[in-house]
PDB file of all heavy atoms in Angstrom:
ATOM      1  N   ALA A  38      -0.489  21.838  15.149  1.00 91.00           N
ATOM      2  CA  ALA A  38      -0.911  22.599  16.329  1.00 91.00           C
ATOM      3  C   ALA A  38      -2.145  21.997  16.996  1.00 91.00           C
ATOM      4  O   ALA A  38      -2.205  21.888  18.223  1.00 91.00           O
ATOM      5  CB  ALA A  38      -1.175  24.048  15.943  1.00 91.00           C
ATOM      6  N   HIS A  39      -3.121  21.584  16.186  1.00 91.00           N
ATOM      7  CA  HIS A  39      -4.366  21.028  16.737  1.00 91.00           C
ATOM      8  C   HIS A  39      -4.101  19.738  17.508  1.00 91.00           C
ATOM      9  O   HIS A  39      -4.562  19.583  18.644  1.00 91.00           O
ATOM     10  CB  HIS A  39      -5.360  20.771  15.595  1.00 91.00           C
ATOM     11  CG  HIS A  39      -6.622  20.099  16.031  1.00 91.00           C
ATOM     12  ND1 HIS A  39      -7.595  20.751  16.737  1.00 91.00           N
ATOM     13  CD2 HIS A  39      -7.066  18.836  15.842  1.00 91.00           C
ATOM     14  CE1 HIS A  39      -8.594  19.910  16.979  1.00 91.00           C
ATOM     15  NE2 HIS A  39      -8.286  18.737  16.438  1.00 91.00           N
ATOM     16  N   THR A  40      -3.351  18.821  16.912  1.00 94.00           N
ATOM     17  CA  THR A  40      -3.096  17.547  17.583  1.00 94.00           C
ATOM     18  C   THR A  40      -2.210  17.720  18.808  1.00 94.00           C
ATOM     19  O   THR A  40      -2.384  17.028  19.797  1.00 94.00           O
ATOM     20  CB  THR A  40      -2.495  16.507  16.616  1.00 94.00           C
ATOM     21  OG1 THR A  40      -1.306  17.031  16.041  1.00 94.00           O
ATOM     22  CG2 THR A  40      -3.483  16.130  15.537  1.00 94.00           C
ATOM     23  N   ALA A  41      -1.276  18.645  18.751  1.00 93.00           N
ATOM     24  CA  ALA A  41      -0.411  18.892  19.910  1.00 93.00           C
ATOM     25  C   ALA A  41      -1.204  19.537  21.046  1.00 93.00           C
ATOM     26  O   ALA A  41      -1.081  19.137  22.205  1.00 93.00           O
ATOM     27  CB  ALA A  41       0.757  19.784  19.514  1.00 93.00           C
ATOM     28  N   ARG A  42      -2.024  20.513  20.715  1.00 93.00           N
ATOM     29  CA  ARG A  42      -2.781  21.239  21.731  1.00 93.00           C
ATOM     30  C   ARG A  42      -3.747  20.338  22.489  1.00 93.00           C
ATOM     31  O   ARG A  42      -3.882  20.422  23.702  1.00 93.00           O
ATOM     32  CB  ARG A  42      -3.554  22.381  21.078  1.00 93.00           C
ATOM     33  CG  ARG A  42      -4.363  23.175  22.056  1.00 93.00           C
ATOM     34  CD  ARG A  42      -5.052  24.328  21.393  1.00 93.00           C
ATOM     35  NE  ARG A  42      -5.736  25.126  22.378  1.00 93.00           N
ATOM     36  CZ  ARG A  42      -6.437  26.195  22.106  1.00 93.00           C
ATOM     37  NH1 ARG A  42      -6.537  26.611  20.872  1.00 93.00           N
ATOM     38  NH2 ARG A  42      -7.027  26.869  23.055  1.00 93.00           N
ATOM     39  N   TYR A  43      -4.432  19.451  21.762  1.00 93.00           N
ATOM     40  CA  TYR A  43      -5.436  18.594  22.384  1.00 93.00           C
ATOM     41  C   TYR A  43      -4.920  17.188  22.681  1.00 93.00           C
ATOM     42  O   TYR A  43      -5.682  16.310  23.041  1.00 93.00           O
ATOM     43  CB  TYR A  43      -6.691  18.536  21.503  1.00 93.00           C
ATOM     44  CG  TYR A  43      -7.363  19.884  21.423  1.00 93.00           C
ATOM     45  CD1 TYR A  43      -7.202  20.692  20.303  1.00 93.00           C
ATOM     46  CD2 TYR A  43      -8.119  20.362  22.482  1.00 93.00           C
ATOM     47  CE1 TYR A  43      -7.801  21.938  20.231  1.00 93.00           C
ATOM     48  CE2 TYR A  43      -8.714  21.613  22.430  1.00 93.00           C
ATOM     49  CZ  TYR A  43      -8.549  22.398  21.298  1.00 93.00           C
ATOM     50  OH  TYR A  43      -9.135  23.636  21.239  1.00 93.00           O
ATOM     51  N   ARG A  44      -3.616  16.985  22.514  1.00 94.00           N
ATOM     52  CA  ARG A  44      -2.960  15.702  22.800  1.00 94.00           C
ATOM     53  C   ARG A  44      -3.658  14.546  22.086  1.00 94.00           C
ATOM     54  O   ARG A  44      -4.013  13.537  22.691  1.00 94.00           O
ATOM     55  CB  ARG A  44      -2.891  15.461  24.298  1.00 94.00           C
ATOM     56  CG  ARG A  44      -2.042  16.497  24.996  1.00 94.00           C
ATOM     57  CD  ARG A  44      -1.877  16.185  26.460  1.00 94.00           C
ATOM     58  NE  ARG A  44      -1.116  17.251  27.081  1.00 94.00           N
ATOM     59  CZ  ARG A  44      -1.518  17.894  28.149  1.00 94.00           C
ATOM     60  NH1 ARG A  44      -2.631  17.574  28.742  1.00 94.00           N
ATOM     61  NH2 ARG A  44      -0.775  18.855  28.656  1.00 94.00           N
ATOM     62  N   ILE A  45      -3.825  14.717  20.796  1.00 96.00           N
ATOM     63  CA  ILE A  45      -4.466  13.709  19.961  1.00 96.00           C
ATOM     64  C   ILE A  45      -3.371  12.771  19.455  1.00 96.00           C
ATOM     65  O   ILE A  45      -2.661  13.095  18.513  1.00 96.00           O
ATOM     66  CB  ILE A  45      -5.225  14.377  18.792  1.00 96.00           C
ATOM     67  CG1 ILE A  45      -6.256  15.354  19.345  1.00 96.00           C
ATOM     68  CG2 ILE A  45      -5.872  13.332  17.907  1.00 96.00           C
ATOM     69  CD1 ILE A  45      -6.926  16.207  18.288  1.00 96.00           C
ATOM     70  N   THR A  46      -3.243  11.618  20.102  1.00 96.00           N
ATOM     71  CA  THR A  46      -2.110  10.738  19.811  1.00 96.00           C
ATOM     72  C   THR A  46      -2.472   9.266  19.619  1.00 96.00           C
ATOM     73  O   THR A  46      -1.633   8.485  19.205  1.00 96.00           O
ATOM     74  CB  THR A  46      -1.079  10.804  20.950  1.00 96.00           C
ATOM     75  OG1 THR A  46      -1.717  10.425  22.173  1.00 96.00           O
ATOM     76  CG2 THR A  46      -0.496  12.206  21.079  1.00 96.00           C
ATOM     77  N   ARG A  47      -3.704   8.877  19.915  1.00 97.00           N
ATOM     78  CA  ARG A  47      -4.068   7.458  19.850  1.00 97.00           C
ATOM     79  C   ARG A  47      -4.650   7.111  18.485  1.00 97.00           C
ATOM     80  O   ARG A  47      -5.677   7.658  18.082  1.00 97.00           O
ATOM     81  CB  ARG A  47      -5.065   7.129  20.952  1.00 97.00           C
ATOM     82  CG  ARG A  47      -5.362   5.652  21.047  1.00 97.00           C
ATOM     83  CD  ARG A  47      -6.105   5.259  22.315  1.00 97.00           C
ATOM     84  NE  ARG A  47      -6.905   6.327  22.860  1.00 97.00           N
ATOM     85  CZ  ARG A  47      -8.167   6.187  23.271  1.00 97.00           C
ATOM     86  NH1 ARG A  47      -8.762   5.032  23.198  1.00 97.00           N
ATOM     87  NH2 ARG A  47      -8.820   7.199  23.773  1.00 97.00           N
ATOM     88  N   LEU A  48      -4.004   6.197  17.780  1.00 98.00           N
ATOM     89  CA  LEU A  48      -4.469   5.747  16.474  1.00 98.00           C
ATOM     90  C   LEU A  48      -5.626   4.775  16.686  1.00 98.00           C
ATOM     91  O   LEU A  48      -5.443   3.694  17.236  1.00 98.00           O
ATOM     92  CB  LEU A  48      -3.337   5.063  15.709  1.00 98.00           C
ATOM     93  CG  LEU A  48      -3.681   4.514  14.331  1.00 98.00           C
ATOM     94  CD1 LEU A  48      -4.023   5.647  13.366  1.00 98.00           C
ATOM     95  CD2 LEU A  48      -2.526   3.686  13.788  1.00 98.00           C
ATOM     96  N   VAL A  49      -6.833   5.165  16.256  1.00 98.00           N
ATOM     97  CA  VAL A  49      -8.003   4.321  16.477  1.00 98.00           C
ATOM     98  C   VAL A  49      -8.597   3.760  15.185  1.00 98.00           C
ATOM     99  O   VAL A  49      -9.445   2.868  15.233  1.00 98.00           O
ATOM    100  CB  VAL A  49      -9.102   5.062  17.276  1.00 98.00           C
ATOM    101  CG1 VAL A  49      -8.645   5.295  18.712  1.00 98.00           C
ATOM    102  CG2 VAL A  49      -9.503   6.354  16.602  1.00 98.00           C
ATOM    103  N   TYR A  50      -8.139   4.262  14.031  1.00 98.00           N
ATOM    104  CA  TYR A  50      -8.661   3.760  12.755  1.00 98.00           C
ATOM    105  C   TYR A  50      -7.655   4.071  11.660  1.00 98.00           C
ATOM    106  O   TYR A  50      -7.032   5.132  11.669  1.00 98.00           O
ATOM    107  CB  TYR A  50      -9.995   4.443  12.425  1.00 98.00           C
ATOM    108  CG  TYR A  50     -10.574   4.021  11.095  1.00 98.00           C
ATOM    109  CD1 TYR A  50     -11.337   2.869  10.993  1.00 98.00           C
ATOM    110  CD2 TYR A  50     -10.338   4.764   9.950  1.00 98.00           C
ATOM    111  CE1 TYR A  50     -11.847   2.464   9.766  1.00 98.00           C
ATOM    112  CE2 TYR A  50     -10.848   4.369   8.729  1.00 98.00           C
ATOM    113  CZ  TYR A  50     -11.607   3.216   8.641  1.00 98.00           C
ATOM    114  OH  TYR A  50     -12.110   2.816   7.433  1.00 98.00           O
ATOM    115  N   PHE A  51      -7.502   3.133  10.735  1.00 98.00           N
ATOM    116  CA  PHE A  51      -6.747   3.426   9.522  1.00 98.00           C
ATOM    117  C   PHE A  51      -7.194   2.494   8.414  1.00 98.00           C
ATOM    118  O   PHE A  51      -7.733   1.415   8.669  1.00 98.00           O
ATOM    119  CB  PHE A  51      -5.228   3.335   9.742  1.00 98.00           C
ATOM    120  CG  PHE A  51      -4.697   1.959  10.015  1.00 98.00           C
ATOM    121  CD1 PHE A  51      -4.312   1.123   8.970  1.00 98.00           C
ATOM    122  CD2 PHE A  51      -4.556   1.500  11.314  1.00 98.00           C
ATOM    123  CE1 PHE A  51      -3.797  -0.138   9.227  1.00 98.00           C
ATOM    124  CE2 PHE A  51      -4.042   0.250  11.578  1.00 98.00           C
ATOM    125  CZ  PHE A  51      -3.668  -0.574  10.529  1.00 98.00           C
ATOM    126  N   GLU A  52      -7.025   2.963   7.207  1.00 97.00           N
ATOM    127  CA  GLU A  52      -7.307   2.149   6.025  1.00 97.00           C
ATOM    128  C   GLU A  52      -6.241   2.432   4.978  1.00 97.00           C
ATOM    129  O   GLU A  52      -5.750   3.558   4.880  1.00 97.00           O
ATOM    130  CB  GLU A  52      -8.712   2.412   5.483  1.00 97.00           C
ATOM    131  CG  GLU A  52      -8.977   3.836   5.089  1.00 97.00           C
ATOM    132  CD  GLU A  52     -10.434   4.115   4.730  1.00 97.00           C
ATOM    133  OE1 GLU A  52     -11.335   3.673   5.461  1.00 97.00           O
ATOM    134  OE2 GLU A  52     -10.663   4.789   3.715  1.00 97.00           O
ATOM    135  N   ALA A  53      -5.874   1.403   4.236  1.00 96.00           N
ATOM    136  CA  ALA A  53      -4.822   1.511   3.236  1.00 96.00           C
ATOM    137  C   ALA A  53      -5.421   1.739   1.852  1.00 96.00           C
ATOM    138  O   ALA A  53      -6.506   1.239   1.541  1.00 96.00           O
ATOM    139  CB  ALA A  53      -3.984   0.244   3.237  1.00 96.00           C
ATOM    140  N   HIS A  54      -4.697   2.503   1.034  1.00 97.00           N
ATOM    141  CA  HIS A  54      -5.104   2.788  -0.346  1.00 97.00           C
ATOM    142  C   HIS A  54      -3.908   2.590  -1.262  1.00 97.00           C
ATOM    143  O   HIS A  54      -2.769   2.814  -0.871  1.00 97.00           O
ATOM    144  CB  HIS A  54      -5.621   4.228  -0.470  1.00 97.00           C
ATOM    145  CG  HIS A  54      -6.898   4.446   0.267  1.00 97.00           C
ATOM    146  ND1 HIS A  54      -8.120   4.287  -0.322  1.00 97.00           N
ATOM    147  CD2 HIS A  54      -7.139   4.793   1.553  1.00 97.00           C
ATOM    148  CE1 HIS A  54      -9.071   4.541   0.573  1.00 97.00           C
ATOM    149  NE2 HIS A  54      -8.484   4.844   1.723  1.00 97.00           N
ATOM    150  N   GLU A  55      -4.184   2.191  -2.479  1.00 96.00           N
ATOM    151  CA  GLU A  55      -3.123   1.972  -3.467  1.00 96.00           C
ATOM    152  C   GLU A  55      -2.474   3.283  -3.903  1.00 96.00           C
ATOM    153  O   GLU A  55      -1.287   3.339  -4.143  1.00 96.00           O
ATOM    154  CB  GLU A  55      -3.680   1.246  -4.693  1.00 96.00           C
ATOM    155  CG  GLU A  55      -4.082  -0.185  -4.419  1.00 96.00           C
ATOM    156  CD  GLU A  55      -2.904  -1.084  -4.097  1.00 96.00           C
ATOM    157  OE1 GLU A  55      -1.801  -0.838  -4.620  1.00 96.00           O
ATOM    158  OE2 GLU A  55      -3.092  -2.022  -3.315  1.00 96.00           O
TER     159      GLU A  55
END
Side-chain angles (χ1 to χ4, degrees):
H39 175 73
T40 57
R42 180 177 184 181
Y43 294 102
R44 297 185 183 127
I45 302 172
T46 58
R47 187 167 27 134
L48 179 66
V49 291
Y50 178 84
F51 68 89
E52 59 188 45
H54 293 268
E55 291 293 329

